[in-house]
């Protein structure tokens, strides 16, 4: 996942960005709710586990869009009494929750499909698929997924490609479309060749399609989960973001003198927290420290929109040297 977003349009304010983001997520809510209801109804009419799984994915998408819309309204708010470090971490929490929920659904679907296959191998007879509702479902959901992806991707681009929420929603819509297309191909093959070479597995073809689709998506959801957890754990941002921040604060160091002892960068959602350990090499007033810090913030934000800079006056890096540390 790229840590460094391009700069937002200078003509677009934060209020306009939130408005566009909220509108896109509101459409995502109702679009996913429609797909969830359609999936559950189609699954009941067709006896398809694959379609039920697809509908449950959309139900999680509805919940995620609802929560994402709430988060996007506050994610850029500054520190306050309740949240002294601000609200940027909410976006990382959102990404982690979404990925974890989807992984849970994947494991549930794998367990259900595996149980159906086991029953079939033990002599049971799975419910027969009814294919007519499936064809209508695939067309409607495929079109809906494409429209949602186009909306999220366009809004994400218009708002400077800085919103992890919109990026994840666009990716989710694309994945939903791919999963739906793959399910259509798999179940279509079962229908066409159910009396041919697929006859031995046709009764559990639906369950086999579920297993294949779950194997296809589990890697992506795992990467999203690890990415969100890394941000919440305070893992160092990408080397590109670190190099960008270091370049951005050089003018302030060159103007005021002194030495940059150490620099750390942590990504939280669409924001970056830069901590600069600075040795001025001379006595310095608090007012001047504030001026240097504000200059660094302004310079870094031209490259990493929404970033904040914590300036620490010290002759030592982030970890105390062993020879002077009493701990």
């Amino acid at each position: 996942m790229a840590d460094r977003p391009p700069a937002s349009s200078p003509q677009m304010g934060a209020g306009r960005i939130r408005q566009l983001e909220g509108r896109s997520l509101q459409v995502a809510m109702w679009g996913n709710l429609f797909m969830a209801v359609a999936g559950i109804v189609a699954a009941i009419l067709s006896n398809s586990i694959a379609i039920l799984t697809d509908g449950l994915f959309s139900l999680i998408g509805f919940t995620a869009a609802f929560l994402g819309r709430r988060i996007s309204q506050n994610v850029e708010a500054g520190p306050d009494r309740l949240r002294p470090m601000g609200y940027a971490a909410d976006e990382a929490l959102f990404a982690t929750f979404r990925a974890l929920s989807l992984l849970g659904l994947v494991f549930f679907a794998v367990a259900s499909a595996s149980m159906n296959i086991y029953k079939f191998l033990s002599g049971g007879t799975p419910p027969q698929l009814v294919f007519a509702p499936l064809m209508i479902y695939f067309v409607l959901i495929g079109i809906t997924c494409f429209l949602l992806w186009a909306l999220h991707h366009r809004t994400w681009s218009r708002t400077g490609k800085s919103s992890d929420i919109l990026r994840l929603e666009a990716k989710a819509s694309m994945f939903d479309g791919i999963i739906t297309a793959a399910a259509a191909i798999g179940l279509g093959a079962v229908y066409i060749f159910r009396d041919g070479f697929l006859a031995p597995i046709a009764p559990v073809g639906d369950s086999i399609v579920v297993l294949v689709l779950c194997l296809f998506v589990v890697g992506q959801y795992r990467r999203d989960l690890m990415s969100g957890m890394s941000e919440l754990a305070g893992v160092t941002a990408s080397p590109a973001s670190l190099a960008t921040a270091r370049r951005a604060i050089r003018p302030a160091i060159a103007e005021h003198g002194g030495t940059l002892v150490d620099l750390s960068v942590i990504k939280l959602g669409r924001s970056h927290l830069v901590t600069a350990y600075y040795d001025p090499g001379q006595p310095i007033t608090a007012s001047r420290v504030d001026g240097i810090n504000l200059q660094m913030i302004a310079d870094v934000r031209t490259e990493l929109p929404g970033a904040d800079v914590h300036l620490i006056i010290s002759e030592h890096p982030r970890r105390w040297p062993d020879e002077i540390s009493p701990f």
Side-chain angles (χ1 to χ4, degrees):
M1 179 177 66
D3 281 334
R4 180 186 173 189
S8 301
S9 170
Q11 288 80 22
M12 185 176 294
R16 178 58 175 165
I17 291 175
R18 286 195 297 271
Q19 182 184 23
L20 290 172
E21 189 176 56
R23 185 183 303 166
S24 185
L25 291 171
Q26 187 172 27
V27 173
M29 283 174 51
W30 300 117
N32 277 284
L33 184 60
F34 163 73
M35 292 192 294
V37 172
I40 294 171
V41 172
I44 294 173
L45 296 176
S46 64
N47 299 320
S48 172
I49 298 176
I51 301 307
L52 179 61
T53 302
D54 200 28
L56 293 177
F57 272 116
S58 297
L59 188 60
I60 290 178
F62 166 76
T63 305
F66 174 77
L67 295 176
R69 189 164 180 262
R70 297 286 298 271
I71 290 172
S72 69
Q73 295 172 354
N74 298 320
V75 72
E76 292 182 350
D80 54 27
R81 286 188 175 183
L82 180 64
R83 302 287 293 273
M85 297 298 293
Y87 293 79
D90 287 358
E91 202 163 11
L93 281 170
F94 168 83
T96 304
F97 160 78
R98 198 183 203 290
L100 190 60
S101 300
L102 291 170
L103 280 174
L105 178 56
V106 165
F107 294 141
F108 166 77
V110 168
S112 298
S114 300
M115 184 62 67
N116 280 350
I117 294 174
Y118 173 76
K119 289 179 179 178
F120 172 71
L121 295 176
S122 301
T125 304
Q128 187 174 2
L129 289 179
V130 181
F131 286 92
L134 297 181
M135 300 302 108
I136 300 174
Y137 171 82
F138 288 137
V139 172
L140 288 177
I141 300 308
I143 294 173
T144 303
C145 288
F146 173 77
L147 292 176
L148 286 176
W149 171 82
L151 173 65
H152 294 323
H153 190 272
R154 182 171 181 269
T155 306
W156 181 61
S157 299
R158 290 182 64 189
T159 55
K161 298 184 177 181
S162 62
S163 170
D164 273 2
I165 293 176
L166 284 177
R167 181 185 60 79
L168 283 172
E169 288 301 313
K171 182 189 293 185
S173 297
M174 178 183 67
F175 256 73
D176 281 349
I178 293 174
I179 291 172
T180 301
I185 294 171
L187 293 178
V190 171
Y191 175 72
I192 294 172
F193 300 109
R194 66 188 184 280
D195 296 324
F197 73 97
L198 292 181
I201 63 170
V204 289
D206 183 59
S207 296
I208 293 174
V209 168
V210 170
L211 291 178
V212 172
L213 293 179
C214 288
L215 288 175
F216 175 73
V217 301
V218 69
Q220 180 60 54
Y221 295 148
R222 178 184 176 277
R223 286 190 291 272
D224 288 341
L225 175 64
M226 297 306 296
S227 176
M229 291 180 64
S230 294
E231 292 185 14
L232 292 174
V235 174
T236 298
S238 70
S241 293
L242 188 61
T244 298
R246 189 178 296 275
R247 285 194 305 269
I249 67 172
R250 282 176 184 167
I253 301 295
E255 178 179 342
H256 297 279
T259 305
L260 179 65
V261 180
D262 198 0
L263 183 77
S264 68
V265 182
I266 298 173
K267 183 178 183 297
L268 273 177
R270 70 193 67 186
S271 180
H272 291 77
L273 175 61
V274 180
T275 304
Y277 299 81
Y278 172 62
D279 180 3
Q282 58 183 317
I284 188 170
T285 64
S287 175
R288 189 177 173 196
V289 171
D290 290 343
I292 297 173
N293 198 356
L294 289 171
Q295 182 179 344
M296 287 181 175
I297 293 173
D299 291 343
V300 170
R301 285 187 177 180
T302 61
E303 300 294 333
L304 298 173
D308 199 5
V309 179
H310 288 182
L311 180 60
I312 297 178
I313 305 299
S314 176
E315 61 179 350
H316 301 293
R318 71 193 78 179
R319 182 182 176 92
W320 292 108
D322 293 338
E323 59 270 19
I324 69 170
S325 176
F327 310 108

